[in-house]
């Protein structure tokens, strides 16, 4: 179980769209449509934003969307807003009841 | 409403063991898996393990195999995370997070407040 690879940082201007990638292997991201994404503000618990690659929990803005191709999943933030500035983590099921997180991406709104 | 309330901050010496509790309320305890996730200072999230409160079955991250034990007490709707042979690298905030009704459900919409554990001599 290795940590999923994410870019350390991504930035964009208000109103723009940004995409965060999450690269795993054929043992995790590539094998299951079970990728989730979390938003975390400093000192706070993470918040689930996307599950099962592209599903949004109730109450999560439709500006957040997810997708997957092969061993790489992606989270797209559309219409970037100041409140989107946070850390984002992907997470994938890795088989045998285990999960693995990505290293995290800091999103900066310019 | 769903609540996960964790035990308070702890300071431990290297080599000691740690036991953190997570008391659940507002839902049927045995219907939902519970995850444990930790976050070292300034670092990312790290998945540690999962327990099925119904039967007590567990799965652990390979990194923690042999050192972490998850248990539950259905009479008090509480899940426990025990970590042994503590070292300084175990200094982190430890979270419990409710999963879903199947083992493949990730940490979901409900998280505990976190428990800060400091390992220092």
């Amino acid at each position: 179980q290795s940590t999923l690879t994410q870019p350390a940082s991504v930035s964009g201007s208000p109103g723009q769209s940004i995409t965060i990638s999450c690269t795993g292997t054929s043992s995790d991201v590539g094998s299951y449509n079970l990728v989730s994404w979390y938003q975390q503000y400093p000192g706070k618990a993470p918040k689930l934003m996307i599950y099962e690659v592209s599903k949004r929990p109730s109450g999560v803005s439709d500006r957040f969307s997810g997708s997957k191709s092969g061993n790489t999943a992606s989270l797209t933030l559309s219409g970037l807003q100041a409140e989107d500035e946070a850390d984002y983590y992907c997470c994938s099921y890795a088989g045998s009841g285990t999960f693995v997180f990505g290293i995290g991406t800091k999103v900066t709104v310019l | 409403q769903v609540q996960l309330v964790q035990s308070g901050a702890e300071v431990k010496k290297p080599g000691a063991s740690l036991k953190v509790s997570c008391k659940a309320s507002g839902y049927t305890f045995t219907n939902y898996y519970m995850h444990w996730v930790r976050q070292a200072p300034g670092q990312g999230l790290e998945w540690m393990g999962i327990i099925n409160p119904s039967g007590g079955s567990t799965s652990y991250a390979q990194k923690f195999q042999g050192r972490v034990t998850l248990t539950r007490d259905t009479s008090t709707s509480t899940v426990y995370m025990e970590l042994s042979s503590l070292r300084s690298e175990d200094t982190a905030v430890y979270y419990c997070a409710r999963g879903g009704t199947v083992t493949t459900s990730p940490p979901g919409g409900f998280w505990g407040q976190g428990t800060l554990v400091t390992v220092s001599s």
Side-chain angles (χ1 to χ4, degrees):
Chain A
Q1 295 165 332
S2 296
T3 310
L4 306 177
T5 300
Q6 298 181 232
S9 63
V10 174
S11 62
S13 299
Q16 286 186 330
S17 293
I18 61 171
T19 296
I20 303 168
S21 61
C22 169
T23 301
T25 69
S26 57
S27 297
D28 38 62
V29 175
S31 284
Y32 309 98
N33 288 324
L34 294 171
V35 176
S36 50
W37 289 90
Y38 300 83
Q39 177 191 64
Q40 187 182 34
Y41 294 112
K44 300 294 186 182
K47 175 185 177 182
L48 179 67
M49 306 301 284
I50 296 284
Y51 66 100
E52 292 178 9
V53 175
S54 59
K55 296 178 180 178
R56 276 188 309 275
S58 174
V60 171
S61 171
D62 60 5
R63 297 187 300 104
F64 292 83
S65 62
S67 63
K68 193 190 88 167
S69 177
N71 295 339
T72 298
S74 298
L75 174 70
T76 297
L77 284 68
S78 304
L80 203 59
Q81 298 179 2
E83 68 202 49
D84 299 333
E85 188 161 295
D87 294 324
Y88 291 83
Y89 295 90
C90 61
C91 177
S92 176
Y93 182 68
S96 301
T98 68
F99 291 79
V100 60
F101 276 99
I103 61 174
T105 297
K106 181 176 180 59
V107 168
T108 301
V109 181
L110 302 172
Chain B
Q1 71 284 19
V2 174
Q3 277 194 304
L4 301 176
V5 178
Q6 298 181 221
S7 49
E10 305 226 32
V11 178
K12 294 289 186 180
K13 294 201 180 301
S17 291
L18 164 75
K19 193 168 187 176
V20 179
S21 66
C22 171
K23 183 172 176 59
S25 62
Y27 69 97
T28 302
F29 176 68
T30 51
N31 283 359
Y32 294 85
Y33 285 74
M34 192 74 79
H35 297 261
W36 285 86
V37 176
R38 77 176 187 180
Q39 186 169 37
Q43 302 301 308
L45 301 174
E46 186 171 31
W47 187 84
M48 299 181 69
I50 187 173
I51 184 168
N52 178 356
S54 178
S57 61
T58 56
S59 293
Y60 302 118
Q62 195 170 3
K63 173 177 178 176
F64 299 102
Q65 285 276 4
R67 213 161 62 93
V68 69
T69 303
L70 301 184
T71 56
R72 94 288 189 217
D73 182 343
T74 56
S75 68
T76 60
S77 299
T78 303
V79 173
Y80 299 91
M81 186 282 296
E82 190 162 11
L83 187 62
S84 62
S85 303
L86 291 170
R87 34 214 190 225
S88 59
E89 309 89 88
D90 294 317
T91 293
V93 174
Y94 290 76
Y95 293 101
C96 58
R98 198 183 82 166
T101 57
V102 295
T103 189
T104 54
S105 300
F110 301 99
W111 292 63
Q113 82 275 21
T115 296
L116 175 62
V117 174
T118 303
V119 182
S120 173
S121 55

